Each structure stands twice: as C-alpha cells, then as structure tokens.
Amino acid sequence: MKILVINGPNLNMLGIREPGIYGTGTFSDLLRLLEDTAREEGLEVIQYQSNHEGDLVDKIQWAYGTADGIVINPAAYTHTSVAILDALKAVSVPAVEVHISDVDSREPFRQISYAGMACIKTIKGHGLEGYREAIQYLKSYLTSAK
Ligand code: DQA
C-alpha cells in the first residue's frame, strides 16, 4: 500500500513558525513520524511539500494510478484553492485532510475548507500526531474497501 502525504505552504517552517499554534515539533520531526508510521504500519509513505499551488495540483495528479491514498494538509490553500479541490476530485484517490491546529477555533476565514469537500475524513487539532491518525485511518479504509 502506497500513501502520498502532501504538505502545503509554510509547513516546511514547522518548529519556527508560530510555535504557540503549531507546536515546537519541526518539519524534520514530522518526516521522522511519517517514516516511523510507515514502518509500524507496513506501508510505503511518500512525502511531498511545496509552497506553490500548481505544484501541489501536479503532485495530486501524479497520485492517479500511483498512490492508493492521499493524506493532505493544504495549509493556507485549504481555505482558498478550488484547484486543489478539483484535482482531488479528478483523481478520486481516497484522501484524508489533516490540520495541525484546530482550525475551527481560529479565525472565521479558516472555517472553510475547499479541499475537505473531496476528503473522506478531516483530522484537526491533534498536532503532528494527526498525520499518524490519518495514515492509520486510510489503511483501515483501504483494507476494508478491498
Ligand atoms: C494549517 C491551518 C491553516 O489554516 C494554515 O494556513 C496552515 C496550517 C494547520 O495545519 O493547522 O498553514 O493547515
């Protein structure tokens, strides 16, 4: 089973950016968590991070016929990008949305998620651990779908 984890803009700054909101865990810590989860769950995890909307769209399209599932934190593009929503719908690879912070308890503009409209589940406010939960959720979803 192959899971593509996509991270949007500024997530490469984890640990530095607004630690009161996103925590002190770094992007390297996140990469390590993904590697550990892949080993523990016996699956392949491919991580991709970009600050550019079109690159994120390209990577979602790449998943078609390649990945079994997608975990996506589109970061700020969550709240603006119809292109990412359309790409997720186009490939129809099962996707789980992750947000490190609890977007529901933040500014009103963070309450809308376009990407989430194409996702089977959203995990928010669980910090970096939310990525592990998303991978585990996708694994059981994909296993029971077979
Ligand atoms: C985020 C929440 C977004 O509103 C924000 O723009 C981010 C990170 C999160 O993981 O909590 O960059 O997606």
Side-chain angles (χ1 to χ4, degrees):
M1 190 178 290
K2 197 181 280 193
I3 307 291
L4 172 63
V5 177
I6 299 180
N7 282 302
N10 301 307
L11 291 170
N12 55 318
M13 298 289 283
L14 283 173
I16 300 164
R17 80 180 282 215
E18 302 181 89
I21 295 174
Y22 299 111
T24 52
T26 64
F27 187 61
S28 301
D29 291 335
L30 173 58
L31 296 182
R32 236 181 331 266
L33 180 147
L34 296 177
E35 280 169 21
D36 290 349
T37 307
R39 199 175 42 250
E40 287 156 15
E41 300 296 333
L43 38 78
E44 188 181 346
V45 172
I46 299 158
Q47 193 286 143
Y48 178 78
Q49 190 278 329
S50 175
N51 295 325
H52 305 278
E53 185 176 14
D55 289 345
L56 297 169
V57 169
D58 285 345
K59 200 64 186 180
I60 293 166
Q61 290 186 8
W62 174 87
Y64 180 74
T66 309
D68 301 296
I70 296 174
V71 171
I72 185 162
N73 182 348
Y77 290 134
T78 305
H79 318 298
T80 61
S81 180
V82 176
I84 289 174
L85 166 63
D86 284 351
L88 288 168
K89 282 177 150 178
V91 299
S92 68
V93 174
V96 174
E97 176 187 24
V98 172
H99 297 290
I100 295 164
S101 66
D102 179 12
V103 279
D104 288 343
S105 62
R106 297 182 62 194
E107 303 94 324
F109 66 82
R110 295 188 203 272
Q111 322 273 313
I112 283 274
S113 170
Y114 291 100
M117 295 173 193
C119 291
I120 56 171
K121 188 177 175 66
T122 297
I123 294 168
K124 42 194 161 190
H126 295 184
L128 299 187
E129 277 299 316
Y131 288 82
R132 191 196 306 274
E133 288 172 39
I135 292 168
Q136 288 170 340
Y137 183 89
L138 261 181
K139 181 185 172 185
S140 72
Y141 177 88
L142 291 166
T143 308
S144 64
K146 275 180 187 152

